[in-house]
Amino acid sequence: MPVSPLRAILTLTVPAADLGLHPPVLNAVIRWRLVLLRGIVWSLVGLIYAPLFAGLMELLIRVGGGVFANVMAAGIAGLACAVLYGSRALALISTGLGVSVGVVLLIVLPDQVSVGAVVCMAAALAGVVGLTVPFPERDSCQVPGKAVAGLMAGAVGGVGLISTELLLATPLSRVAALAFLVSVSGVLYVATVRGWVDGICRRRQASPARALLATAIMALLAAVAAGSVWMINGPLLTLGDPLWQAASLAMYHTMPQTILGGLIGGGLAGMLLEIFRFSWVNDLR
């Protein structure tokens, strides 16, 4: 029976003195270390998800997203984090391209190019790479399913957040709202990702369509990464775009609460999922 990488690492980190314990005790020690480490890993996922959601929400509110800004931002953030968490080559390449384009243009042409142009350049470059560089069949098969699972889980989590706030007499604090959104979206993603992946991978005759969808996901991740670079530096620069500048400043004002909510929600979701032995993305074959 294959051993997961996480369990193998934890087994190696058990002190030598623990090897003399009775098997039930040793298994309990390893079990709780797994729970702790899974909580730490998912806290890092929440650390990425929460600021990304906050930035997207501020932008969507300013372009007329209205009450659905939360849902759309949560869905896009869920998609991005699902690919970052569940994919390796595709996520690293697309994110690296987006960050590189954003940083280079920020240094070379900070006042001569708009944020929208930077985002489009990063997406176009990632799209070209996705169409020309062959990826393993496993990536082109599983990444679209994981992306759809993340998108749907985030959107449903956003709907759940709106519904919860409508039922309460007072709105949730920023920390509580982000913790709720991250934890609910994470649980929904893990609960549904295998079904989405199996459903998409089963249709092998649609391989070209899967490749195009994977390329579109790469372009979206690169665009998000490039836009995030400019969003983070917005208060320090004159971007020439009042919409991005206002969204960036609004995000900065709530950044400490956003990060704390993401850490709490991610850690809580990861620990609960490990305790109840949910299936994991790295178990997919």
Side-chain angles (χ1 to χ4, degrees):
M1 180 178 179
V3 180
S4 69
L6 184 60
R7 184 174 292 278
I9 292 172
L10 287 175
T11 303
L12 293 174
T13 58
V14 174
D18 288 346
L19 297 178
L21 296 174
H22 294 294
V25 178
L26 182 57
N27 289 336
V29 171
I30 296 175
R31 175 69 178 156
W32 282 106
R33 289 187 179 186
L34 278 168
V35 171
L36 178 60
L37 187 54
R38 189 67 72 178
I40 294 173
V41 171
W42 272 66
S43 292
L44 298 178
V45 175
L47 184 62
I48 298 172
Y49 182 102
L52 181 57
F53 163 78
L56 288 169
M57 186 184 67
E58 295 296 341
L59 281 173
L60 290 170
I61 288 175
R62 283 161 177 77
V63 297
V67 69
F68 296 106
N70 277 3
V71 178
M72 292 185 287
I76 297 173
L79 184 154
C81 287
V83 178
L84 289 172
Y85 179 75
S87 175
R88 296 173 181 84
L90 187 147
L92 290 174
I93 291 174
S94 54
T95 304
L97 288 172
V99 171
S100 299
V101 170
V103 170
V104 169
L105 293 178
L106 191 64
I107 294 173
V108 177
L109 302 169
D111 298 322
Q112 301 177 34
V113 62
S114 67
V115 183
V118 173
V119 170
C120 291
M121 289 179 192
L125 179 59
V128 171
V129 172
L131 291 174
T132 56
V133 176
F135 288 95
E137 177 65 18
R138 182 175 180 273
D139 278 355
S140 63
C141 175
Q142 290 193 5
V143 167
K146 293 174 181 177
V148 173
L151 177 67
M152 297 303 296
V156 173
V159 172
L161 178 60
I162 294 174
S163 302
T164 301
E165 291 186 332
L166 289 175
L167 292 174
L168 296 176
T170 57
L172 293 172
S173 67
R174 187 75 169 187
V175 174
L178 265 298
F180 174 89
L181 179 60
V182 172
S183 58
V184 170
S185 299
V187 171
L188 289 173
Y189 171 70
V190 173
T192 60
V193 63
R194 187 177 296 276
W196 284 108
V197 170
D198 289 345
I200 292 177
C201 290
R202 193 178 298 118
R203 303 179 179 181
R204 295 195 175 272
Q205 70 276 14
S207 182
R210 288 203 306 263
L212 289 175
L213 183 55
T215 300
I217 293 169
M218 284 189 65
L220 177 61
L221 283 180
V224 169
S228 298
V229 170
W230 283 64
M231 178 76 78
I232 291 172
N233 289 278
L236 306 177
L237 300 171
T238 303
L239 297 180
D241 190 334
L243 186 148
W244 281 80
Q245 188 78 18
S248 181
L249 288 172
M251 184 185 71
Y252 261 83
H253 290 157
T254 58
M255 185 58 70
Q257 298 92 329
T258 298
I259 291 176
L260 181 59
L263 288 172
I264 293 173
L268 181 62
M271 294 176 71
L272 289 175
L273 289 169
E274 185 65 44
I275 289 172
F276 290 101
R277 299 178 182 273
F278 273 66
S279 298
W280 293 101
V281 175
N282 56 14
D283 295 330
L284 295 171
R285 294 292 183 267

